[in-house]
Amino acid sequence: MDHFDYIKHFENCIEGVKAEGRYRYFANLERIAGKFPKAMYRPADGSSAREVTIWCSNDYLGMGQHPAVLKAAHEALDNSGAGAGGTRNISGTTRYHVELEESLADLHQKEAALVMSSGYVANEGALSTLGKLMPECAIFSDSMNHASMIHGIREAKQEKLIYRHNDLEHLEELLKSVDINRPKIIAFESVYSMDGDIAPIKEICDLAEKYNALTYLDEVHAVGLYGPRGGGVAEERGLMDRVDIIEGTFGKAYGCMGGFITGPAAVVDSVRTFASGFIFTTSLPPSVLAAARASVEHLKVSQIERQRIRRNVKMFKEALEAVDLPYLRGESHIVPLIVGEPTCCRDLTDILMNEYNIYVQPINYPTVPRGTERLRLTATAAHSAEDITRMVGTLHHLWTTHHALRAVA
């Protein structure tokens, strides 16, 4: 009997993904502080490094290079060193955690906040813990929710009811099917990052009140960007007080890393006490926490960055409209350009990088459904008008003339 060939098995797994055109290649990039969205690209073939323009970054406001953010990180590094010293409950809670959590509770006007190592960990830890702690809990999840939310809901091991994306009638139909006295959570996002659309937050809150459910809102693609203080879409629409738990990240508009939840003190403390992903993970280091707090505090008062991204997104969408390129026309700052086939999607991004020094990653299955492969484009606050004009001109040229895109047409 032949022994199981472990290496061959995994090679076949990878070859299967490559055959489908959805294997992920990582570009070796070095962001240049002060020049974002420019970065140095080092090709895998050993050829000379060259400058490229990034068009798929989540650093929407360029805060990853903001002087106040860098200054805070340097000072914390000099004052407290590189590491956190352990998990939060052993030796890893610092004054930087406390100050950041106070800042976040103020941002969302909630009783408490809890910082975690990433937005993924925050969603998984919070949703799994809250579900487990409530007997017979029913969790209602938008069909387009992020993988981290799906993971958390699955780990809660409670009844899960998936409603069609942003479909209020379907959500209400499912809510009606569950006893009003059972505990319930409605879990949804504000900005959906792959389609660029925004949830009907007010109407979901109305249904939550009608059917006695907690609301759990993921604002990761909205915090910093929306609302007069960067509180997210819920703040922009005057709805923060109606949302029970708000989850966010520092890894996007705040330009740093880490995740968090805010909400009632008892809810936040329950997650702190029972969430394994929080309890057993080494804490974020002081430099990251200080940088995140500086970014949050800056965007509570500064409108400059939000004004710039609104201007750039408007210009970008209008330019795409003018040349009739097939992007999804959502309300948000995210611009998905539909290609519709994985190999073409990869070919297009390779051409952009190799011939035009424009970096975009293809978005393929399972991140998006098959047949909807796309480029997820972001005109950040740091892009120039020239960057936008060049990008649209290049895309239009490739869309109309290049052999790699014949399958799309």
Side-chain angles (χ1 to χ4, degrees):
M1 180 178 177
D2 292 335
H3 292 297
F4 187 83
D5 189 333
Y6 295 97
I7 301 303
K8 185 64 176 177
H9 173 76
F10 291 115
E11 287 174 346
N12 289 338
C13 290
I14 296 300
E15 285 305 314
V17 175
K18 287 182 177 179
E20 293 181 27
R22 57 187 185 90
Y23 180 75
R24 291 180 171 93
Y25 295 89
F26 291 165
N28 183 344
L29 297 171
E30 180 183 2
R31 282 161 46 110
I32 307 169
K35 292 187 69 175
F36 178 76
K38 307 299 180 184
M40 293 306 296
Y41 168 55
R42 290 174 169 78
D45 63 7
S47 56
S48 298
R50 64 181 191 269
E51 188 174 278
V52 299
T53 304
I54 300 173
W55 266 95
C56 55
S57 177
N58 289 336
D59 189 356
Y60 299 129
L61 301 177
M63 293 302 294
Q65 63 178 2
H66 194 281
V69 175
L70 300 183
K71 180 174 182 288
H74 281 296
E75 288 178 351
L77 185 64
D78 291 339
N79 290 340
S80 298
T87 62
R88 287 281 301 271
N89 64 313
I90 293 178
S91 61
T93 292
T94 68
R95 75 172 180 88
Y96 300 103
H97 287 95
V98 175
E99 291 169 356
L100 179 53
E101 286 169 350
E102 289 172 349
S103 176
L104 293 167
D106 169 72
L107 174 68
H108 291 308
Q109 296 295 288
K110 301 297 184 188
E111 290 180 345
L114 184 68
V115 169
M116 301 193 208
S117 56
S118 72
Y120 191 107
V121 170
N123 269 335
E124 189 281 324
L127 284 167
S128 62
T129 299
L130 296 174
K132 287 175 183 175
L133 290 178
M134 293 189 288
E136 300 300 315
C137 181
I139 305 178
F140 300 81
S141 176
D142 188 288
S143 63
M144 294 288 287
N145 275 345
H146 189 263
S148 58
M149 301 176 78
I150 295 168
H151 186 181
I153 293 166
R154 183 174 65 245
E155 289 303 307
K157 295 180 170 57
Q158 300 282 16
E159 184 179 8
K160 173 180 65 178
L161 300 96
I162 301 172
Y163 63 92
R164 290 185 293 271
H165 179 51
N166 284 345
D167 189 329
L168 295 167
E169 289 185 4
H170 191 216
L171 174 57
E172 183 163 24
E173 178 186 326
L174 294 176
L175 286 163
K176 283 180 179 176
S177 72
V178 175
D179 189 321
I180 197 166
N181 292 316
R182 280 179 63 185
K184 307 172 193 67
I185 300 171
I186 303 174
F188 62 109
E189 301 180 35
S190 57
V191 176
Y192 287 87
S193 65
M194 288 302 134
D195 285 0
D197 56 349
I198 295 177
I201 300 174
K202 177 186 179 298
E203 291 77 7
I204 291 174
C205 289
D206 291 342
L207 290 175
E209 291 176 6
K210 183 176 180 181
Y211 294 98
N212 190 33
L214 279 176
T215 46
Y216 182 101
L217 176 60
D218 176 315
E219 288 258 36
V220 296
H221 287 277
V223 286
L225 275 169
Y226 297 84
R229 301 170 75 231
V233 177
E235 183 192 32
E236 183 176 76
R237 298 183 177 181
L239 299 167
M240 280 199 307
D241 62 319
R242 298 189 63 195
V243 177
D244 296 299
I245 303 141
I246 296 176
E247 184 265 352
T249 184
F250 309 116
K252 296 180 172 52
Y254 289 125
C256 301
M257 72 169 291
F260 64 89
I261 62 168
T262 66
V267 171
V268 172
D269 200 19
S270 294
V271 174
R272 184 188 70 86
T273 301
F274 294 102
S276 295
F278 170 77
I279 295 168
F280 298 107
T281 300
T282 298
S283 167
L284 292 172
S287 57
V288 172
L289 296 164
R293 181 176 180 273
S295 189
V296 171
E297 288 297 310
H298 175 81
L299 290 173
K300 284 181 182 178
V301 295
S302 174
Q303 303 302 323
I304 296 170
E305 294 80 11
R306 286 188 281 274
Q307 289 169 356
R308 284 176 181 161
I309 193 170
R310 283 194 293 268
R311 176 199 66 199
N312 284 350
V313 171
K314 182 175 185 291
M315 179 183 177
F316 186 43
K317 288 183 176 181
E318 287 176 350
L320 291 172
E321 291 272 1
V323 295
D324 199 29
L325 287 176
Y327 78 94
L328 296 182
R329 289 154 174 79
E331 301 173 71
S332 79
H333 58 286
I334 294 169
V335 181
L337 189 70
I338 302 300
V339 176
E341 200 281 326
T343 302
C344 286
C345 204
R346 165 54 63 186
D347 287 346
L348 175 58
T349 59
D350 286 347
I351 294 165
L352 287 170
M353 182 68 114
N354 296 331
E355 299 182 20
Y356 297 93
N357 293 326
I358 293 172
Y359 172 68
V360 184
Q361 273 289 73
I363 305 295
N364 293 330
Y365 176 84
T367 306
V368 296
R370 296 182 193 275
T372 70
E373 290 81 5
R374 67 197 63 182
L375 307 188
R376 179 188 170 279
L377 303 172
T378 52
T380 72
H383 282 86
S384 67
E386 291 75 18
D387 289 331
I388 295 168
T389 300
R390 178 171 181 265
M391 181 60 164
V392 175
T394 301
L395 288 171
H396 181 239
H397 170 71
L398 294 176
W399 224 263
T400 54
T401 67
H402 208 285
H403 67 88
L405 294 174
R406 285 176 186 163
V408 180

